[in-house]
């Protein structure tokens, strides 16, 4: 459902779509319009931006492909795999590594949006490598916390993990409500 809603909202309004398990670290005003990010060789729709002017051009292709290839039982079919199929056509390449700017659409490298990818989400909660992870995040605009994978992970409010470090810096009001476990 979220994959379909994301596309419909972008089709109707344009703008920025963000999954709710992301922390925004920088203002997007310096980013070009019409963007998505790579994550470990895939395109990930957890953050997408489409200008009002360009939204129909890109979302129409995505929605048509979703209608034709929809599968509610296979993870990624209506998300990353859908994005791959459509952008292979738009970018005229099968190699995601070669996708950077295609027909006015910018495809950022992993470090812009997913410096800690879904395969290594636990690093965000590991107190032993906080400095390394915080440094790794320094060039990113957002940090994804991979809620589907991390939802059962609990940290004490005073944890020194990168996750709580970022929450204190970018979500101070939420952290102020923390009693024992965040």
């Amino acid at each position: 459902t979220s994959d379909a809603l994301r596309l419909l909202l972008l089709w109707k309004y344009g703008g920025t779509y963000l999954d709710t398990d992301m922390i925004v670290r920088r203002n997007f005003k310096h980013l070009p319009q019409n963007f998505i990010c790579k994550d470990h060789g895939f395109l990930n729709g957890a953050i997408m931006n489409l200008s009002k002017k360009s939204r129909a051009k890109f979302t129409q292709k995505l929605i048509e492909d979703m209608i034709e290839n929809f599968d509610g039982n296979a993870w990624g079919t209506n998300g990353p795999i859908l994005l791959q199929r459509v952008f292979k056509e738009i970018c005229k390449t099968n190699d995601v590594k070669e996708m950077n700017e295609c027909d006015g659409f910018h495809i950022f490298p992993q470090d812009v949006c997913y410096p800690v990818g879904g395969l290594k989400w636990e690093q965000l909660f590991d107190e032993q490598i906080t400095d390394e992870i915080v440094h790794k995040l320094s060039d990113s605009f957002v940090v994804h916390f991979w809620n589907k994978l991390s939802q059962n992970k609990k940290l004490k409010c005073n944890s020194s993990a990168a996750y709580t470090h970022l929450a204190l810096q970018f979500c101070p009001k939420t952290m102020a409500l923390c009693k024992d476990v965040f």
Side-chain angles (χ1 to χ4, degrees):
T1 303
S2 66
D3 293 320
L5 286 173
R6 166 184 339 187
L7 295 179
L8 291 173
L9 287 168
L10 287 170
W11 171 78
K12 180 150 176 91
Y13 301 106
T16 302
Y17 169 87
L18 282 169
D19 276 2
T20 58
D21 58 346
M22 299 183 96
I23 287 181
V24 176
R25 296 189 66 252
R26 291 189 179 152
N27 191 311
F28 293 174
K29 69 181 176 184
H30 300 293
L31 293 175
Q33 295 183 352
N34 306 321
F35 69 81
I36 195 168
C37 290
K38 299 175 191 176
D39 174 30
H40 285 89
F42 287 93
L43 298 179
N44 189 322
I47 178 172
M48 295 174 67
N49 180 279
L50 288 167
S51 69
K52 288 185 178 190
K53 180 179 177 185
S54 306
R55 70 185 191 263
K57 174 173 145 181
F58 294 110
T59 56
Q60 188 69 34
K61 290 178 183 181
L62 291 164
I63 290 168
E64 286 172 0
D65 187 281
M66 180 180 276
I67 290 167
E68 185 176 324
N69 297 296
F70 183 83
D71 183 347
N73 295 315
W75 180 89
T77 301
N78 312 309
I81 296 169
L82 163 76
L83 294 167
Q84 301 282 113
R85 281 191 307 265
V86 172
F87 279 94
K88 283 179 180 180
E89 178 187 322
I90 292 170
C91 297
K92 297 178 182 20
T93 180
N94 289 325
D95 189 353
V96 173
K97 292 175 190 168
E98 294 178 11
M99 295 178 188
N100 297 306
E101 195 276 325
C102 309
D103 196 20
F105 202 93
H106 302 273
I107 302 168
F108 291 122
Q110 181 171 333
D111 61 334
V112 173
C113 302
Y114 310 109
V116 177
L119 299 174
K120 297 186 178 188
W121 68 268
E122 290 174 304
Q123 292 179 344
L124 295 162
F125 300 87
D126 186 339
E127 293 180 342
Q128 304 301 314
I129 58 171
T130 299
D131 290 340
E132 175 188 336
I133 298 305
V134 169
H135 177 72
K136 191 175 189 176
L137 304 174
S138 64
D139 291 331
S140 69
F141 278 77
V142 295
V143 179
H144 196 200
F145 289 98
W146 311 100
N147 185 56
K148 183 173 177 68
L149 303 169
S150 67
Q151 64 185 331
N152 294 319
K153 186 71 175 173
K154 305 281 189 251
L155 287 174
K156 295 225 179 257
C157 297
N158 62 356
S159 168
S160 64
Y163 181 81
T164 51
H165 173 83
L166 289 166
L168 280 167
Q169 185 177 3
F170 297 103
C171 309
K173 290 181 180 180
T174 301
M175 281 301 290
L177 300 172
C178 187
K179 302 268 188 263
D180 183 41
V181 176
F182 185 71

